[in-house]
Amino acid sequence: HRPGAAAKILFVPTHALELIEIAAVRRAIGQSIVEARRPIDEPLDVLVQHLVTRALGGGFTREEIAREVRSADAFKNLTDRDLDWSLLFITQGGQSLQAYENFRRVAFEDGLFKVTDGRIARTHRMNIGTIQSDATVTLKFQRGRDLGTVDEAFVSKLKPGDKFLFGGRVLKFRRMENLNAIVTLANGAATVSPSWAGGRLPYSAPLSKAVKATLSRYAEGEEDRDPEGHVIEPILKAQRRLSTLPHQDEVLVELARTRDGDHMFIYPFEGRALHEALGAVLALRLAKRTRATFSITTNDYGIELLSAEEFHFMPSLDRDLLSTENVEADLKEALNLTQMARQKFRDIARVAGLVHPGHPSARKNARQLQASAGLLYDVLRRYEPNHPLILQAERQALAELVDGDRLKETLIWLAEAKRIINRVQRPTPLGFPLLVERWGSRLSTESLTDRIERMKAQWTKI
């Protein structure tokens, strides 16, 4: 991949159904469909960093900087209030931090905002930039022994009491301490499945639409027109035989009872990130109606809700379950939004200059930055809960999780689409990757392979 040359894509599917995705991508490229890149609206941490950078270059007036900043699309609607807050923040540290001299980075002299302290100038120049690196979280038993590491994005969504599988053991999440997740051994089934960095790649609305359109063509028997469809034809036939292949204006729901419990599989084809949020909301709403505990597993294609105890999903699949009313409140209750915002605040605080990664020869690690940012987050949340950077952290945490309004749009689509509810004897090929996702955390490679082969044999017998 280089400028002026044709790009070549090597596609390595982890399971057969991902061939549908590459068929959809190849057709979308042929139709010149390009995914939009939606910029963050008014990121005040970036504005604050820019203001300090401009103050290093001889200074600026308020009127001059207002014109300059509003010429950028992301800040075209910047209010005087937010601009004045940003200027107060770099000169005094804002309402909560004004007593600390370290946060007074810019002086206002002779009508100009400018940096007059050489130490501040050197520190700022060495830390300019907005690119952030992902951090990992160490799992630790409550009494101190390390178990390994997991992705920060997964742990940030856990609530105290959530159970997940790691290294073949069921662990209960207790609390976060900087970048340590404190856990204890637990009994019973896991309630969430770990997710990893590779599975968090964004699944956009255009890609979702293309995948649904491709699957709809295959539902009409047109798989032979694509080389990928021809390869997975046996799996498509098994899906038709055991349940159905949904069209793009249909949503398929499959209900099954196995030795693991009662399953509901639902296939919106909206991507893992959105499915994680949707699955959490659906599980919360179902549990409020009938006391139950669900294990939630997601991938790019669907969601599995599993109740180890007997649970009748059918009466609950009404429009109220898919309502957009109070969805933000349900999402905040279902997921640990405070912890997610806390992790996001670390990056925002670094860009805004509240915490510093250190000198190039002695960089601080993510754990040290999280400790510093965490203290600031607690102070601001306690004394200034509407602090603009706190609110920005919450907005960005939600936006990254559900891609703006896509959760509401998906709920509306699920409520209006034709629902096909099939009771199946065993999970079908569409649900198969969800099972493997859940099994893979607790089975060895050999036993997982054996179980997969048994399921494939069961499909061919029907």
Side-chain angles (χ1 to χ4, degrees), residues 70-352:
R70 286 170 179 151
S71 68
D73 187 71
F75 294 99
K76 61 185 178 184
N77 296 318
L78 182 70
T79 64
D80 287 339
R81 179 181 177 181
D82 284 342
L83 176 60
D84 289 336
W85 175 87
S86 301
L87 293 171
L88 182 67
F89 184 74
I90 62 175
T91 54
Q92 298 182 24
Q95 176 184 333
S96 301
L97 303 174
Q98 57 185 324
Y100 302 94
E101 189 174 342
N102 287 345
F103 299 110
R104 302 174 193 169
R105 291 172 285 169
V106 176
F108 183 64
E109 297 179 354
D110 302 324
L112 291 177
F113 293 89
K114 54 187 177 182
V115 174
T116 58
D117 188 321
R119 179 184 55 84
I120 290 175
R122 287 191 298 273
T123 300
H124 183 79
R125 289 191 179 102
M126 285 187 292
N127 293 294
I128 289 176
T130 60
I131 297 175
Q132 310 290 346
S133 59
D134 288 337
T136 56
V137 172
T138 300
L139 293 179
K140 294 174 70 76
F141 275 134
Q142 197 151 336
R143 297 190 181 275
R145 185 162 67 87
D146 290 2
L147 294 170
T149 59
V150 292
D151 285 350
E152 181 184 25
F154 164 66
V155 175
S156 68
K157 300 172 189 174
L158 297 179
K159 305 188 303 297
D162 282 347
K163 294 186 286 187
F164 62 97
L165 285 160
F166 184 85
R169 291 180 286 190
V170 179
L171 304 176
K172 180 181 287 188
F173 175 69
R174 294 295 186 181
R175 64 186 182 276
M176 282 290 295
E177 293 180 356
N178 297 329
L179 284 181
N180 294 321
I182 308 303
V183 298
T184 55
L185 288 174
N187 297 318
T191 55
V192 291
S193 296
S195 60
W196 310 96
R200 298 203 315 271
L201 297 175
Y203 202 83
S204 65
L207 178 56
S208 172
K209 185 176 180 180
V211 168
K212 291 176 186 177
T214 300
L215 196 64
S216 187
R217 290 192 299 105
Y218 292 173
E220 297 291 337
E222 298 181 10
E223 58 265 28
D224 285 342
R225 296 188 180 184
D226 296 331
E228 299 86 1
H230 179 73
V231 171
I232 62 170
E233 186 176 6
I235 293 176
L236 299 177
K237 286 183 177 179
Q239 178 65 32
R240 292 190 189 100
R241 190 168 64 249
L242 296 170
S243 178
T244 191
L245 276 174
H247 289 72
Q248 58 188 350
D249 59 347
E250 299 172 338
V251 56
L252 175 62
V253 179
E254 294 175 339
L255 306 176
R257 178 170 293 171
T258 70
R259 64 185 183 183
D260 292 330
D262 280 326
H263 307 252
M264 180 176 75
F265 299 91
I266 182 169
Y267 306 102
F269 295 93
E270 292 288 346
R272 180 190 293 270
L274 191 138
H275 289 166
E276 286 179 354
L278 178 60
V281 169
L282 295 181
L284 175 70
R285 291 176 173 180
L286 287 171
K288 283 183 175 180
R289 295 180 178 185
T290 305
R291 187 176 179 83
T293 300
F294 299 101
S295 297
I296 308 170
T297 307
T298 61
N299 62 13
D300 282 330
Y301 309 127
I303 304 163
E304 178 203 33
L305 296 184
L306 169 63
S307 172
E309 305 295 330
E310 183 176 357
F311 190 89
H312 298 285
F313 285 101
M314 184 69 81
S316 303
L317 299 178
D318 53 33
R319 287 185 176 271
D320 288 342
L321 183 68
L322 304 172
S323 171
T324 59
E325 188 175 351
N326 298 322
V327 66
E328 291 91 352
D330 287 345
L331 194 58
K332 290 180 180 180
E333 184 177 352
L335 298 172
N336 192 354
L337 180 62
T338 299
Q339 182 60 36
M340 292 168 62
R342 186 188 183 92
Q343 304 291 9
K344 179 56 61 179
F345 182 78
R346 181 190 66 228
D347 297 338
I348 290 173
R350 209 282 296 165
V351 173

Side-chain angles (χ1 to χ4, degrees), residues 18-86:
E18 287 186 347
L19 289 168
I20 298 174
E21 189 173 329
I22 191 58
V25 168
R26 191 166 43 74
R27 280 181 170 266
I29 290 173
Q31 297 169 8
S32 299
I33 297 175
V34 179
E35 296 174 335
R37 296 287 294 176
R38 296 172 61 180
I40 299 173
D41 188 38
E42 294 187 16
L44 295 182
D45 56 336
V46 176
L47 174 59
V48 165
Q49 185 181 112
H50 178 70
L51 294 179
V52 178
T53 303
R54 285 283 279 105
L56 288 171
F60 59 83
T61 65
R62 185 192 181 283
E63 293 72 21
E64 174 190 356
I65 204 67
R67 289 193 301 271
E68 177 180 301
V69 169
R70 286 170 179 151
S71 68
D73 187 71
F75 294 99
K76 61 185 178 184
N77 296 318
L78 182 70
T79 64
D80 287 339
R81 179 181 177 181
D82 284 342
L83 176 60
D84 289 336
W85 175 87
S86 301

